[in-house]
Amino acid sequence: MKKIIFFLPLLTLLSCYDAEHNCKDFKNGKFKFEFEVNGVKKTTIFERKDGIEIETFEGKTDTSTVRWVSDCEYILQKKHPKNMAEEKAINMKILTTSKDSYTFEFGMVGSDQKQRGKVFKIE
């Protein structure tokens, strides 16, 4: 019983926590996304402005359209897909924000499989 009395105030405090969502701060700008593939760190740099996102990865540049569904969610669609996989749109959802970064969830539109990542604003 004592344990329940101890955890009840803690649970109440946690339920009051609301993740920061200043998504509008990240609609335009230059960003960096780092991830790991087979133990190797990879970096993508991208710039988003006025419905266009230009991404540079391993020396190759690609352009996508950005369609904002809400303040914190948008759909990315490659402008010049090179194969069928690139033709599929990607749903991006910003989950939390901080001063210079945001945590997001992404996956193919219509798919239940989602991944998470963190993006840093560099300009």
Side-chain angles (χ1 to χ4, degrees):
M1 186 67 179
K2 288 182 182 180
K3 289 181 181 177
I4 293 173
I5 293 172
F6 173 74
F7 285 115
L8 188 57
L10 182 63
L11 183 62
T12 303
L13 283 174
L14 289 175
S15 66
C16 293
Y17 174 76
D18 188 23
E20 188 176 345
H21 284 89
N22 294 323
C23 301
K24 290 181 182 181
D25 294 345
F26 298 97
K27 284 194 172 189
N28 293 299
K30 192 169 184 177
F31 306 91
K32 176 173 72 170
F33 174 51
E34 296 178 333
F35 57 100
E36 202 170 293
V37 177
N38 298 324
V40 178
K41 186 177 176 181
K42 306 275 186 176
T43 302
T44 295
I45 303 292
F46 61 96
E47 190 165 359
R48 193 166 41 235
K49 184 178 179 186
D50 299 330
I52 296 291
E53 184 170 293
I54 300 171
E55 172 185 341
T56 303
F57 176 67
E58 295 184 336
K60 296 178 184 174
T61 301
D62 210 346
T63 304
S64 299
T65 59
V66 177
R67 182 174 55 88
W68 287 91
V69 178
S70 69
D71 282 343
C72 295
E73 189 170 357
Y74 61 97
I75 306 294
L76 270 181
Q77 182 74 53
K78 296 252 186 204
K79 286 190 82 154
H80 308 287
K82 294 171 186 67
N83 54 49
M84 287 184 63
E86 288 186 359
E87 288 180 9
K88 296 180 181 179
I90 300 172
N91 182 298
M92 310 288 279
K93 184 174 184 179
I94 298 173
L95 303 173
T96 62
T97 63
S98 68
K99 179 183 170 200
D100 61 353
S101 68
Y102 64 87
T103 302
F104 69 104
E105 179 179 80
F106 66 100
M108 298 290 183
V109 171
S111 173
D112 291 334
Q113 291 184 326
K114 304 288 183 199
Q115 297 180 41
R116 287 190 178 196
K118 188 169 188 173
V119 168
F120 295 89
K121 191 168 189 174
I122 53 179
E123 284 182 24

